[in-house]
Amino acid sequence: MPRAPFQVLVVPFRRVGDQVEFAVLRREDVSVWQAVAGGGEVGESPEEAAARETHEELGIDGPVPLYPLQTAASIPARFFAERDSWPFGTYVIPEHSFATDLTDVEIKISHEHTDIQWLDYQVAHKVLRFDSNRTALGELHERLLAADLPLPVD
């Protein structure tokens, strides 16, 4: 499917007792730590793309909750080979952020990643490469502390 001019970011978390851990994945191609990320496909909504990317990158079979976050970023279109197929004048694309609760969910990372770590907030924040990932992680961390997760998307 052709790539749409938007990106999604999904921050996985799990509860271990009364602690929360966040998953970071090491990208195979550039060897940096990030959350689940990927491009939307033509005809997909950001929510659909986030669900698809979560299932593809983490090898999840069944449904998992997907919580929309307020964090938004823009990524230069020049980083994407598909840019030439997008409307003229597309210089940046939006990145839509979500979180997913993977407590008691078995995962198996895809070929896009070489490793996964479950980390506490401070360590995850330090190892994440991209500012947008750190911002979404920070929002999620604050929401979890305040018991203020938004309703999951359908």
Side-chain angles (χ1 to χ4, degrees), residues 42-121:
V42 170
E44 269 185 326
S45 68
E47 295 80 8
E48 291 167 331
R52 178 183 48 75
E53 288 290 339
T54 299
H55 285 83
E56 288 176 1
E57 293 190 18
L58 300 177
I60 297 170
D61 292 327
V64 293
L66 193 64
Y67 304 97
L69 298 176
Q70 292 176 349
T71 300
S74 296
I75 302 171
R78 70 178 177 275
F79 292 135
F80 302 95
E82 298 85 352
R83 177 187 187 182
D84 292 338
S85 68
W86 296 338
F88 177 78
T90 303
Y91 298 103
V92 297
I93 62 169
E95 180 180 66
H96 305 276
S97 298
F98 301 86
T100 188
D101 185 350
L102 299 183
T103 303
D104 299 323
V105 175
E106 187 175 329
I107 62 173
K108 182 177 183 255
I109 59 172
S110 74
H111 68 280
E112 295 179 46
H113 302 96
T114 60
D115 199 7
I116 184 170
Q117 295 185 79
W118 287 97
L119 305 170
D120 68 23
Y121 169 72

Side-chain angles (χ1 to χ4, degrees), residues 14-44:
R14 69 181 181 188
R15 300 171 195 276
V16 180
D18 54 352
Q19 303 297 312
V20 175
E21 296 177 333
F22 303 92
V24 296
L25 299 107
R26 183 183 290 277
R27 284 183 55 126
E28 190 276 330
D29 57 350
V30 291
S31 195
V32 299
W33 293 99
Q34 67 174 48
V36 171
E41 295 178 354
V42 170
E44 269 185 326

